[in-house]
Amino acid sequence: MTAFPPRTIRLDALAYGGDYNPDQWPEETWEEDARLMLEAGVNIVSLPVFSWPLIEKTPGHYDFGWLDRIIDLLWRHGIKVDLATATATPPAWLVRQHPDILPHNVDGVRLEFGSRQAYCPSSPVFREHALRLTEAMANRYGEHPALALWHISNEYGDHVPRCWCPTSAAHFRDWLAKRYGDIEALNEAWGTSCWGQNYTDYDHVEPPRTSMGPINPSQQLDFERFSSDALLQLFQAEIDVLRRITPDIAVTTNFMSLFKELNYWDFAAVEDLVTDDAYPDPADPQAHVPAALNYGLMRSLKGGQPWLLLEQAPSAVSWRDVNVPKVPGRMRLDSLQAIAHGSDGAMFFQWRQAKFGPEKYHSAMLGHRGEKSRSFHETAALGAELKRLAAVRGTRVRARVAVVADWDSWWGSAAPDSLPSQRLDWLEQTRAWHGALFALGHTVDVVQATDLREGYDLIVVPNLYIATEAQAQSLAAFVEGGGQLIVGPFSAVVDPTEKVHAGGAPGPLRDLLGVEVDEWWPLPDGQEGTITSIAGRTPTLTTRIWTEWIEPAPSAEVVARYDSGVLAGRAAIVRNARGRGAAWYVSAALSDDSLEDVLRLVLESAGLPARETADRDVEIVTRTDGETDFIFVLNHGQTATSVTVPAGALDLLTDVTASGPLDLPGLGAAVLATPARHPKDFPTVTISPKNIEV
Ligand code: GLA
Ligand code: GLA
């Protein structure tokens, strides 16, 4: 048997499989499931995610019979399990015995049993019962050879990311008391002297419920942090149990892509393997672009280590208003995209399509028509194909550019009813900057401003509303060392307690960026503004939503000026040389094209190429082990294209060695193995315009 390093997934191939709910089916189907799984190349399944009520039918009595039988059956077929601790949803008896474990919404309404995740994250009763089950699961299956990975809970925060019940309120008060100590420190941090909110006792503090008017933004921000921490504590408590009993088995919980409610930097730090559930909308022809950003985050959460796509839909989901299926080939390409971006496998929700319940119209690897279903054919074809990519397992993704993602800034910049404009959306801005980098041909990592590892030439900060001295120092060190930094508008406005930095924005970044912001000038809905072209090189830039009245420092060079409206003639984009690098500040929310124009210039300063008007639907991502580069060429468009690739590169998917331009059909892909290049090199793949109709 293979010996696996401690706390790594116990699998020696790319993971392929999905969520499996055998308890929704008569046992007679299990043999067929295992047979078809093997036929499809499945080597791992996730179970029993929602089966707590079946394992513990009466309090304290665990019935593992059926679970033993299915795990043994799977293992007889060589299929491993990503074993859920089954704590994702409590049984009805527990909820009836202790109705106070049910969560409350912001209006104080108790959310009733009848869906899933029927628990308050802060409930000590829920935690006690969940940990008991976790312990029982670990004792039962810790030594089972099929156990590849622990899957804790499921999608923390999916349905209940925030709870306002009395238990949560008490937990919030404890959390605050630990953070601030004396109540006067809380008054100071929250600025309670505004609007007469001063507290004399922690007992008087409540979570920010529906109130008469705008909520204290500092209180709101702390509630966001607390709520993320409350689920993190639950996660940590389960991890502690598992570490005690099975110290060598890796643990994970499945993330939900760029999910606002949980600070995934914190969650990733305590687990062994990052896993993600990703559901790009097949109705959106550009869905692969935000997907690339999401995957950039997933591989970056643990500093570039491989991660795993734990769930995706084989075709349609069931939870959008309109659930469009994936056209033939889309599921394969989406899977290859995740692998290109560092996922060591591609998994699904779910194996066998449900017959009942809210997800009976959600696609599955084995559709309602069984092995005759289209999804099964595509599943089996991909399972066979992934075996050809065994060599990419464990390799790293090469990126020279990183985008900063800061949850505090995401939360703070979304404070309702108290911002200069409600239109400047953190996620939209982050996606827009990333989208421009994608269009210019770059694979982008996602980082924290305080943790800029070696090897980046350009750091892009779409928005850092809340900025600290530590972040400023880290960014300054990056620039001084020769990096290019570009910072978007409404950044470094407040400190971590939501207080405006002395002297205004961009507070701790003022010296680095060489600029002071005098006033925000958000644009009314529908109004656009223009900014002069940069050094005569590009068309006029356009801005919507947001502009600023800024005062450049004498050290800064004005790169572009507003040329319309009240700000006409004033600086819009400045560049401040510092050490061996430079910091750029963009004071407006630019249109997508304009972002590309600005980034082209910044990429040039960083010594990085920008691809020109090539086929924008083609994405190129390189994984490398230092000896071999694996260049993934992914045509996300429906139209065929032709790509010039390094001569002699071997396409692992076809075993054909490239000797000229590579023709890719719509939704086509190639994975080219070539000797590794110097990391500074851009993968030299050029794309010619589309020239073949599918
Ligand atoms: C009213 C209120 C003030 C202040 C202003 C803000 O005038 O009386 O306290 O909130 O609105 O415009
Ligand atoms: C998430 C959940 C699954 C399932 C799918 C449906 O990924 O983890 O249990 O509900 O969504 O898309």
Side-chain angles (χ1 to χ4, degrees), residues 460-642:
V460 176
V461 182
N463 176 271
L464 192 65
Y465 172 65
I466 296 181
T468 62
E469 209 40 68
Q471 289 170 321
Q473 278 171 18
S474 168
L475 293 169
F478 169 75
V479 174
E480 276 156 16
Q484 299 289 314
L485 167 74
I486 185 160
V487 176
F490 204 44
S491 286
V493 180
V494 296
D495 72 12
T497 62
E498 273 272 2
K499 289 205 191 61
V500 174
H501 285 294
L509 293 180
R510 198 174 300 139
D511 285 349
L512 179 60
L513 297 174
V515 74
E516 294 187 0
V517 179
D518 190 81
E519 224 171 348
W520 320 115
W521 283 83
L523 298 177
D525 286 343
Q527 185 175 315
E528 283 198 348
T530 55
I531 296 175
T532 50
S533 60
I534 301 171
R537 306 163 35 117
T538 59
T540 301
L541 308 174
T542 51
T543 174
R544 19 176 234 107
I545 297 173
W546 191 272
T547 61
E548 294 171 2
W549 180 305
I550 60 173
E551 299 284 351
S555 62
E557 169 199 344
V558 176
V559 175
R561 295 180 184 277
Y562 291 104
D563 68 358
S564 63
V566 184
L567 301 180
R570 302 205 58 85
I573 301 174
V574 296
R575 176 183 176 279
N576 200 34
R578 174 88 170 254
R580 294 193 287 122
W584 306 60
Y585 183 63
V586 178
S587 67
L590 298 175
S591 67
D592 294 350
D593 287 351
S594 300
L595 280 175
E596 278 179 42
D597 290 336
V598 174
L599 281 169
R600 219 174 261 124
L601 196 66
V602 180
L603 285 167
E604 190 181 290
S605 304
L608 294 172
R611 75 174 171 188
E612 288 300 330
T613 61
D615 185 340
R616 288 174 166 242
D617 288 332
V618 175
E619 180 183 18
I620 293 154
V621 186
T622 301
R623 288 183 73 161
T624 186
D625 60 11
E627 282 179 13
T628 305
D629 281 353
F630 301 95
I631 306 175
F632 286 70
V633 186
L634 310 166
N635 180 12
H636 295 286
Q638 296 280 349
T639 315
T641 196
S642 175

Side-chain angles (χ1 to χ4, degrees), residues 342-385:
S343 172
D344 270 355
M347 296 177 66
F348 298 88
F349 180 85
Q350 62 176 326
W351 162 250
R352 187 183 271 276
Q353 190 168 19
K355 252 183 113 154
F356 46 79
E359 294 183 318
K360 57 185 174 295
Y361 306 124
H362 194 294
S363 60
M365 301 165 83
L366 190 63
H368 285 146
R369 292 177 66 232
E371 46 192 309
K372 292 184 292 183
S373 58
R374 173 175 74 97
S375 60
F376 183 72
H377 293 144
E378 291 197 27
T379 296
L382 180 60
E385 219 173 4

